[in-house]
Amino acid sequence: MRPRPSIGPNLWETQTSRSVRSRYRKPSEPKPPRADAIIVAPATYNTINKFAQGIADTYALGLLAEAPGLGIPVVVLPFVNSALASREPYRRSV
């Protein structure tokens, strides 16, 4: 039985033939191609609430905040415990 490849930047780059970005580009660097879609998995309590509020205090959240305005579909897969999931701010965010 063949071992399964771990999910990570190398696998994504191999599967998509595109480089994985983890920082903002410099003005002198060319714009990369626009994503077809974005998957957020696992999405934590903080990530979901910040995304819903449009908070862009990290590179990843900056991309998420911008995506809906660019027409890029975003799929969010929540991964929170039941205590956090029951909180009203979280429920509004979802």
Side-chain angles (χ1 to χ4, degrees), residues 50-62:
K50 285 182 175 187
F51 175 41
Q53 294 298 314
I55 297 171
D57 61 353
T58 66
Y59 177 72
L61 282 166

Side-chain angles (χ1 to χ4, degrees), residues 43-52 55 61 80 84 90 93:
T44 64
Y45 177 83
N46 281 341
T47 299
I48 291 168
N49 286 318
K50 285 182 175 187
F51 175 41
I55 297 171
L61 282 166
V80 299
L84 292 174
Y90 173 80
S93 293

Side-chain angles (χ1 to χ4, degrees), residues 23-45:
R23 64 171 179 79
Y24 289 103
R25 70 179 179 83
K26 294 178 183 170
S28 61
E29 296 174 338
K31 285 187 177 183
R34 188 170 287 172
D36 296 326
I38 296 174
I39 300 171
V40 184
T44 64
Y45 177 83

Side-chain angles (χ1 to χ4, degrees), residues 5-92:
S6 64
I7 295 177
N10 293 337
L11 176 65
W12 292 117
E13 288 177 357
T14 301
Q15 295 284 325
T16 64
S17 300
R18 292 185 177 179
S19 62
V20 173
R21 297 176 296 180
S22 59
R23 64 171 179 79
Y24 289 103
R25 70 179 179 83
K26 294 178 183 170
S28 61
E29 296 174 338
K31 285 187 177 183
R34 188 170 287 172
D36 296 326
I38 296 174
I39 300 171
V40 184
T44 64
Y45 177 83
N46 281 341
T47 299
I48 291 168
N49 286 318
K50 285 182 175 187
F51 175 41
Q53 294 298 314
I55 297 171
D57 61 353
T58 66
Y59 177 72
L61 282 166
L63 294 179
L64 287 178
E66 189 177 51
L70 295 172
I72 299 171
V74 177
V75 176
V76 179
L77 303 170
F79 186 74
V80 299
N81 65 37
S82 57
L84 292 174
S86 69
R87 303 229 27 238
E88 185 59 32
Y90 173 80
R91 294 190 344 220
R92 278 194 312 267

